Amino acid sequence: MTENPSQQPASTPELPTQYAPAEVEGKLYERWVERGYFTADPDSEKPPYTIVIPPPNVTGALHLGHAFQVTLMDALTRRKRMQGFETLWLPGMDHAGIATQNKVEQQLAEEGKSRQDLGREQFTERVWQWKEEFGGRILGQLRRLGAGLDWSRERFTMDEGLSKAVQTIFKKLYDDELIYRAERIINWCPRCLTAISDIEVDYQDDDGELVSLKYGEGDETLVVATTRVETMLGDTAVAVHPDDERYAHLIGKRIKLPLTDRTIPVVADHHVDPEFGTGAVKVTPAHDPNDFAIGQRHGLESMTIMDERGVITVHGPFQGLDRFEARSAIVAALREQGRVVAEKRPYVHSVGHCSRCKTTVEPRLSLQWWVKVETLAGAAGDAVRDGRVELHPKDMEKRYFDWVDNLNDWCISRQLWWGHRIPVWYGPAGEVVCVGPDEEPPSGDGWTQDPDVLDTWFSSGLWPFSTLGWPEETPDLKKFYSTDVLVTGHDIIFFWVVRMMMFGLYAMDGEVPFKTVALTGLVRDEFGKKMSKSNPNAVDPLDWMDNYGSDAVRFTLAKGANPGADVPIGEDWVQASRNFANKIWNATRFAMMNGATVEGPLPPVEQMSATDRWILSRLNATVAEVDAFYDDFQFAKLSESLYHFAWDEVFDWYVELSKTTFFAGGEQAKVSARVLGEVLDVTLRVLHPIVPFVTEQLWTTLTGGESLVVADWPEDSGFRDDAAEKEIELVQQVVTEVRRFRSDQGLQPGQKVPAELTLTGTALAPHEAAIRQLLRLQPAGDGFHATATLPVAGATVALDLSGTIDVEAERKRLTKDLGAAEKEKAQANGKLNNEAFLGKAPDNVVDKIRGRLAKAEADIERITAQLANLPQS
């Protein structure tokens, strides 16, 4: 239970009869921002709590995945702020190199121009113009969602401060010999004309062809199979396993490469699986990462046979053809020579595509800049192993270690114009100079800067500390680093999380970038299918916010947020959450109209009814439960706990049980009104981080307080009353059982029925008026005839149903239902007693039949009881 910082106004404020989110949300949010509630103070003596938002792309628009993670981060920071922490939730955007460059190039294409027409400097200026005009709309959409971000600290990965951080760490890594330049196989996009990272490659099953080819002549013949026939022009060997006796006579010899005037060696390498296919593989070092490794081991030549656009550059007949055109032409030429041994078409296999433009990615040998990750990745693994960083849920640790312990060196250069330019200059005599942020680059004839830019993940890997002012020793960095929680999807644990761990530990002298990584799943549709713009199941969360309010979207997402698990969501569920917001509104409005108040201290416990003590006991238990769930990042469970407490226990039970007290008036009504005010005050506080708008409007009206954003988080006072909880449980049993019976008999909820209640000697006696009110039971008057008697919870409820139902029609209906249930039971038993069936049926089928049997038996028991309780004709 909490203290109330302000008194309720003497006259009860009025709330509109209906909650209209569109009329409330925008005004409330602007008020929060104007009053500086989200602005953190580095000079505060409060303990810090820091979250940096995973920076959305500057090109992006709000989708459900964003809304999901932002809702969870907002809930965490709102609660911590209420708990008295100096809370910083820092916003910002990523410059999104490839995506942003593509956007501007598309604009130029519509004007009949290319970036080459503008030149690098003018093109970069054009991108900045696009960013100012069109970029960053997602940040405005986050306001719609209610995100309590500190907008005074908004950052951009290409702003001056973050650019300085990028240049600083590049120089530091270079000087420590952790950055180097080398030729390696990379993912290359022939459309974007750049290397791309693993995370920018989307793999999908494509229909291709598997072609088996005969290399060599006579006894010196080998058969290899490939899905990329065009790359055979760049083969510089055939590899076999050293222990494969079939090819022992060929190892070390040279064989004829078809369609060319070259011979290539047969090499022995343990990488080859002799059990797979023919046990012989073609080796194209310049166009396959495994082949490149074989080539390195055996000193093979690396022949690049296509240009940056995927056009063949060697061997006359095919020179100038696109790689896919060349594939067909080469197969035809090989077939004509009798070199095609077998063709399998279609051959479904996994093919990498550029996530931006969907072009098939080409493995390509290229001179690139790399980060040597061995020591950096080792430190990132140790930080989790020794407990400095906790992954949540814990079972994600295995995936993390599988990746970080086997991490390859990281290609960080991109052949783009938009991004952080690599701070390396080349001199006329082959000099290479890396320049730090406070150093002057070399100048004069022959000096040029490296044309490439850095991978976007390089700058976003610095995000937890660069946004706080690093490399300067700023007050923000001192107060708010390291951050407390990183909330992000498990799908980028390998890429972004690991990079932040490596850079944070390296730049900040071993201090971790975050203490906890709370990993979420992906948002899917209500059937568990992945949402995609290309599918009809894609949803714009702004449409749902327009239709149902931001609170409804937030509550639906939080209610599905089990740690690390995917989140199904459908419009029906958002509608249900809208109904919950309306329930909160209507019940609070009703309570205030009936005197609910926060004025003055709570009355002494001895003045309270059992109903009052029960709800206060349940209130404190719920606060304790919600706190425990927050600390364990169990958003789904805490949302369910809040939902059932608010809707079921407060609004459906406490308010209804208290109506007779309120209607009667007097001192007991005043006591209950104060208890109800306390319950609403605390309930709205604990609901606020998830559903901030409706709770803010209701709480400020109820209490007259300034804002829930800066109100105190409620604490469990420790008050429990087991006796009162048991007493009200008995009341609930009586009401629930009689309601079920009324429904079974076909009575309408509001239909009144004469009844006698025998409550003597039970704890139910003080609740007779409330029980009668809830069950629509009239006093038993003259002529009362008990046609049904229900013993429940130690009490007896006798009902006179004469004249309320058609007994004979009801008996016929129930008898028919009973026969159907008995038939279902017999059929299920027949299958379950059949050994032949049990021996063949899958486990899930058997389980389904057992479930049918259990349901049939329950139906028989229920219907039999209903028939027994029918009035005798």
Side-chain angles (χ1 to χ4, degrees):
M1 289 175 275
T2 62
E3 296 179 2
N4 290 283
S6 55
Q7 299 294 312
Q8 180 172 286
S11 59
T12 303
E14 290 189 3
L15 288 166
T17 55
Q18 291 184 328
Y19 177 50
E23 297 176 12
V24 170
E25 294 177 350
K27 295 176 183 176
L28 287 181
Y29 190 84
E30 290 309 312
R31 184 192 305 165
W32 293 334
V33 174
E34 288 169 5
R35 292 182 178 180
Y37 292 154
F38 305 139
T39 305
D41 180 7
D43 297 324
S44 168
E45 294 183 359
K46 296 177 182 178
Y49 184 83
T50 314
I51 293 181
V52 291
I53 196 170
N57 287 351
V58 67
T59 60
L62 187 70
H63 58 64
L64 279 172
H66 291 131
F68 172 50
Q69 292 181 359
V70 166
T71 293
L72 305 189
M73 285 182 274
D74 195 37
L76 290 171
T77 51
R78 284 180 182 270
R79 173 175 174 258
K80 285 295 183 180
R81 189 179 293 110
M82 295 173 74
Q83 287 182 317
F85 287 79
E86 191 61 34
T87 303
L88 170 60
W89 185 21
L90 193 147
M93 292 183 298
D94 191 283
H95 64 279
I98 295 177
T100 309
Q101 180 158 318
N102 281 349
K103 287 278 187 183
V104 178
E105 287 194 275
Q106 288 167 11
Q107 276 191 348
L108 290 174
E110 292 172 2
E111 300 170 13
K113 300 177 183 177
S114 69
R115 61 176 161 130
Q116 286 76 18
D117 294 331
L118 271 66
R120 183 167 196 146
E121 186 175 343
Q122 287 189 27
F123 177 78
T124 303
E125 290 177 1
R126 179 72 177 259
V127 180
W128 276 107
Q129 292 172 8
W130 181 93
K131 184 258 181 185
E132 295 304 319
E133 186 174 355
F134 301 105
R137 59 179 174 146
I138 188 172
L139 297 182
Q141 294 165 342
L142 296 182
R143 292 172 179 256
R144 281 282 315 275
L145 194 63
L149 290 151
D150 184 348
W151 296 108
S152 70
R153 286 177 167 83
E154 182 184 332
R155 303 306 299 267
F156 180 55
T157 50
M158 290 274 287
D159 68 29
E160 184 178 351
L162 269 65
S163 295
K164 181 177 182 180
V166 168
Q167 195 171 352
T168 299
I169 202 163
F170 187 100
K171 170 71 171 173
K172 180 174 170 60
L173 288 162
Y174 182 88
D175 290 347
D176 288 346
E177 298 183 349
L178 294 173
I179 280 183
Y180 64 95
R181 198 177 188 218
E183 272 196 325
R184 299 278 182 82
I185 294 285
I186 47 85
N187 301 306
W188 181 266
C189 176
R191 157 63 182 80
C192 299
L193 301 181
T194 181
I196 59 176
S197 67
D198 291 340
I199 195 172
E200 293 159 331
V201 179
D202 291 337
Y203 287 91
Q204 65 186 48
D205 288 340
D206 286 357
D207 286 345
E209 59 180 345
L210 181 68
V211 183
S212 297
L213 308 174
K214 183 171 65 176
Y215 284 17
E217 303 290 347
D219 294 337
E220 298 180 352
T221 297
L222 286 167
V223 175
V224 299
T226 179
T227 58
R228 300 167 66 220
V229 176
E230 68 281 5
T231 64
M232 60 87 60
L233 299 176
D235 286 357
T236 56
V238 173
V240 298
H241 194 274
D243 299 330
D244 194 334
E245 295 181 357
R246 293 172 295 176
Y247 307 117
H249 66 291
L250 292 177
I251 295 173
K253 293 187 176 181
R254 301 185 71 87
I255 61 174
K256 172 77 173 174
L257 180 66
L259 303 182
T260 72
D261 57 3
R262 293 191 291 119
T263 61
I264 57 177
V266 177
V267 299
D269 196 280
H270 285 88
H271 171 76
V272 180
D273 180 0
E275 303 297 325
F276 184 78
T278 64
V281 296
K282 59 191 288 298
V283 182
T284 319
H287 293 277
D288 183 275
N290 294 321
D291 293 3
F292 178 78
I294 294 174
Q296 292 289 98
R297 288 193 289 272
H298 297 275
L300 301 176
E301 180 185 1
S302 294
M303 291 185 58
T304 299
I305 55 98
M306 64 181 76
D307 67 12
E308 60 185 8
R309 297 184 183 276
V311 174
I312 302 298
T313 57
V314 298
H315 199 69
F318 311 108
Q319 193 168 356
L321 294 179
D322 172 80
R323 53 186 167 153
F324 300 120
E325 295 173 335
R327 182 177 298 175
S328 299
I330 291 171
V331 170
L334 289 167
R335 191 183 297 117
E336 187 175 334
Q337 291 187 7
R339 294 279 179 180
V340 176
V341 176
E343 295 179 75
K344 185 176 182 181
R345 188 185 299 113
Y347 179 73
V348 179
H349 61 133
S350 182
V351 178
H353 297 261
C354 175
S355 63
R356 303 299 179 189
C357 67
K358 310 309 176 187
T359 301
T360 300
V361 168
E362 190 67 37
R364 175 181 171 86
L365 183 64
S366 181
L367 183 62
Q368 303 284 347
W369 285 94
W370 303 80
V371 171
K372 190 182 298 183
V373 301
E374 183 178 1
T375 57
L376 300 173
D382 291 344
V384 174
R385 286 189 172 94
D386 63 26
R388 283 175 291 154
V389 176
E390 177 188 358
L391 295 190
H392 193 90
K394 191 173 178 61
D395 60 15
M396 287 288 176
E397 285 187 1
K398 183 180 184 303
R399 296 178 62 187
Y400 177 84
F401 292 134
D402 285 346
W403 177 263
V404 80
D405 293 344
N406 299 284
L407 198 59
N408 295 319
D409 285 0
W410 170 20
C411 177
I412 56 171
S413 45
R414 298 291 180 267
Q415 291 64 57
L416 304 172
W417 286 357
W418 172 245
H420 295 101
R421 188 92 171 257
I422 288 177
V424 172
W425 273 255
Y426 306 110
E431 302 96 331
V432 179
V433 177
C434 180
V435 178
D438 300 319
E439 300 171 352
E440 287 294 326
S443 59
D445 292 343
W447 282 96
T448 59
Q449 186 178 0
D450 192 297
D452 290 350
V453 301
L454 288 163
D455 178 12
T456 296
W457 295 100
F458 191 94
S459 52
S460 61
L462 314 181
W463 191 251
F465 54 93
S466 64
T467 53
L468 297 174
W470 187 88
E472 307 300 327
E473 288 288 340
T474 64
D476 277 3
L477 190 65
K478 183 177 179 181
K479 177 75 174 181
F480 296 112
Y481 190 88
S482 62
T483 68
D484 288 88
V485 181
L486 173 71
V487 178
T488 191
H490 63 64
D491 54 325
I492 59 172
I493 182 176
F494 314 126
F495 307 102
W496 189 45
V497 176
V498 171
R499 279 146 175 66
M500 285 189 290
M501 288 282 280
M502 292 193 302
F503 280 168
L505 291 162
Y506 173 74
M508 299 300 293
D509 298 322
E511 191 174 359
V512 297
F514 25 72
K515 301 174 185 72
T516 301
V517 182
L519 294 162
T520 70
L522 307 178
V523 178
R524 298 184 178 273
D525 70 13
E526 58 192 304
F527 305 107
K529 294 181 179 178
K530 183 179 179 180
M531 288 191 179
S532 169
K533 291 181 181 178
S534 59
N535 292 335
N537 66 352
V539 171
D540 185 345
L542 295 170
D543 292 340
W544 280 355
M545 285 190 270
D546 288 340
N547 294 333
Y548 307 113
S550 297
D551 284 333
V553 174
R554 291 170 60 113
F555 192 73
T556 305
L557 291 166
K559 209 173 178 187
N562 289 298
D566 289 348
V567 183
I569 184 172
E571 189 165 6
D572 289 350
W573 304 345
V574 184
Q575 291 175 350
S577 295
R578 185 269 316 273
N579 295 342
F580 179 51
N582 289 340
K583 181 76 170 183
I584 299 170
W585 181 273
N586 294 331
T588 304
R589 182 173 178 273
F590 170 84
M592 291 176 63
M593 290 171 60
N594 283 275
T597 178
V598 298
E599 187 173 356
L602 276 174
V605 173
E606 56 269 18
Q607 292 182 13
M608 298 179 187
S609 67
T611 307
D612 295 333
R613 300 194 307 276
W614 163 74
I615 197 61
L616 290 176
S617 182
R618 292 296 309 129
L619 175 69
N620 279 282
T622 300
V623 168
E625 185 174 66
V626 167
D627 274 334
F629 286 145
Y630 261 117
D631 292 342
D632 198 33
F633 303 98
Q634 297 280 359
F635 293 98
K637 290 182 179 178
L638 72 88
S639 299
E640 283 290 335
S641 178
L642 289 169
Y643 177 88
H644 289 297
F645 175 73
W647 190 306
D648 298 342
E649 297 187 294
V650 178
F651 303 140
D652 275 0
W653 283 108
Y654 181 72
V655 170
E656 293 298 322
L657 287 170
S658 300
K659 279 183 178 178
T660 53
T661 302
F662 291 140
F663 295 160
E667 290 302 313
Q668 191 58 53
K670 293 179 182 178
V671 171
S672 293
R674 179 63 189 88
V675 170
L676 180 53
E678 177 76 8
V679 171
L680 290 175
D681 175 14
V682 174
T683 301
L684 293 171
R685 290 180 197 238
V686 292
L687 280 166
H688 176 73
I690 304 291
V691 284
F693 293 111
V694 66
T695 53
E696 174 82 344
Q697 187 71 16
L698 292 172
W699 186 85
T700 52
T701 306
L702 170 71
T703 69
E706 179 185 349
S707 172
L708 268 175
V709 181
V710 292
D712 291 337
W713 180 257
E715 295 182 359
D716 172 16
S717 70
F719 174 78
R720 300 289 191 277
D721 192 323
D722 293 339
E725 291 200 33
K726 290 178 181 178
E727 186 171 322
I728 300 306
E729 283 176 12
L730 293 175
V731 175
Q732 292 171 328
Q733 286 180 36
V734 171
V735 173
T736 301
E737 287 300 317
V738 176
R739 278 178 173 168
R740 183 180 294 118
F741 176 78
R742 287 175 55 108
S743 176
D744 288 342
Q745 303 307 316
L747 296 177
Q748 296 300 311
Q751 190 172 349
K752 295 182 178 180
V753 177
E756 280 184 348
L757 273 61
T758 306
L759 308 176
T760 307
T762 74
L764 294 167
H767 305 282
E768 179 171 354
I771 291 172
R772 285 187 176 277
Q773 171 69 25
L774 289 169
L775 291 172
R776 305 295 188 267
L777 302 180
Q778 294 177 318
D782 294 339
F784 175 82
H785 175 62
T787 58
T789 302
L790 304 177
V792 57
T796 303
V797 181
L799 305 172
D800 184 354
L801 301 180
S802 56
T804 60
I805 59 173
D806 184 335
V807 176
E808 287 308 313
E810 187 65 11
R811 182 173 280 111
K812 285 182 180 180
R813 182 185 72 81
L814 290 172
T815 301
K816 181 179 178 182
D817 290 348
L818 180 62
E822 288 173 338
K823 182 179 179 181
E824 176 72 4
K825 177 183 176 180
Q827 289 176 343
N829 268 326
K831 290 184 177 180
L832 294 174
N833 291 326
N834 185 331
E835 293 297 332
F837 170 79
L838 293 176
K840 296 179 181 179
D843 289 345
N844 64 317
V845 173
V846 175
D847 289 342
K848 186 176 181 180
I849 292 172
R850 288 193 178 114
R852 286 169 49 190
L853 175 62
K855 182 180 183 302
E857 289 174 337
D859 287 344
I860 291 169
E861 183 178 352
R862 174 179 55 81
I863 297 168
T864 301
Q866 289 175 230
L867 283 167
N869 281 314
L870 280 177
Q872 298 301 313
S873 52

